[in-house]
Every structure is written in C-alpha cells, then in structure tokens.
Amino acid sequence: MFSTGTDVGPRVGEGVAAHSQEGLVYQVCRWCHTASFRKLLCPVCASSDLESAHSDGHGVVIRSNVVNRYSRVMRNESLVRFPEGFVYRCRIVGAAPHLVNVGDRVRPLGGRTSVAGEVVLELCDPPGSAGWY
C-alpha cells in the first residue's frame, strides 16, 4: 500500500486501533541507509529500493517563514529537522505565525492533516497565545 507520509492520525471513518501510533511514515534506502521523506528514489544513490519506517514525528524548526500567498490568512511554513536524518517543509499551527522561532520543538498535531497534503505540526511549548490555529 502506498503511504503519503502524513499518517498523523486515523482517516475519516476509521476507528482508532489499540496498536495505532501517531507520527510520520518515512523511507529508508536499503542500499545506503539514507532516510528520506516522500521520495520515489533515494536522494543519495538513486535506488528505488526504499522501505517504510515509522517516526514519532517530533522535530526541531531550522527555518521559519510567514506566508500569506494565495489567501488572506497568514500561516507559517517551516523547515523541520527530524531525528531520523531528514529535513522537510511543514506547516506549524497552534501559535501566531510570527512567534515560531528557529530551535522550537514541534510534534504532530493529533488527528489532523492539511487539505493540501502538507505535514501539519504544532509547537511543543506554545508561546502563550492560545487563540491561534
């Protein structure tokens, strides 16, 4: 079965099983053991022999941008480094877009994915303004 990599919760209409976990599904190359996210080929050796692995989804923001293109609502897009060794562009919610800083720890937002297919994360330690989503 093909995985989109945004397995942060149960799909609509599915019950939560006792063995289900929140997090991200990423790929590991069987040849060079490089971790990647949402790739068809290994970014290092170009092998298509990738196996799926599960991450808890916790990471650290390494770059943060406030964006409002294609809509009137501001949102945050950040590059997040995951401990498994890959970096991915994610959307950060749960705080004002300008309050997401480099070095902030993030985790998957339980049960929510973006309509556009982007990975949605939230801050582990929100800055105090609870009115932003």
Side-chain angles (χ1 to χ4, degrees), residues 10-74:
R11 292 188 181 120
V12 176
E14 288 184 0
V16 178
H19 59 81
S20 69
Q21 298 175 350
E22 292 181 358
L24 301 172
V25 176
Y26 66 100
Q27 294 84 24
V28 177
C29 178
R30 290 185 181 160
W31 290 92
C32 67
H33 304 289
T34 300
S36 60
F37 188 67
R38 287 189 178 173
K39 302 284 184 184
L40 296 175
L41 298 174
C42 174
V44 174
C45 69
S47 171
S48 63
D49 193 9
L50 303 174
E51 66 179 335
S52 295
H54 191 271
S55 167
D56 63 353
H58 288 74
V60 175
V61 175
I62 60 171
R63 185 174 180 182
S64 179
N65 291 320
V66 176
V67 180
N68 70 340
R69 65 179 170 255
Y70 308 123
S71 70
R72 294 182 177 188
V73 179
M74 289 190 326

Side-chain angles (χ1 to χ4, degrees), residues 85-102:
F86 59 92
V87 175
Y88 199 72
R89 182 179 55 90
C90 303
R91 188 170 140 210
I92 309 295
V93 298
H98 64 282
L99 295 178
V100 178
N101 298 313
V102 173

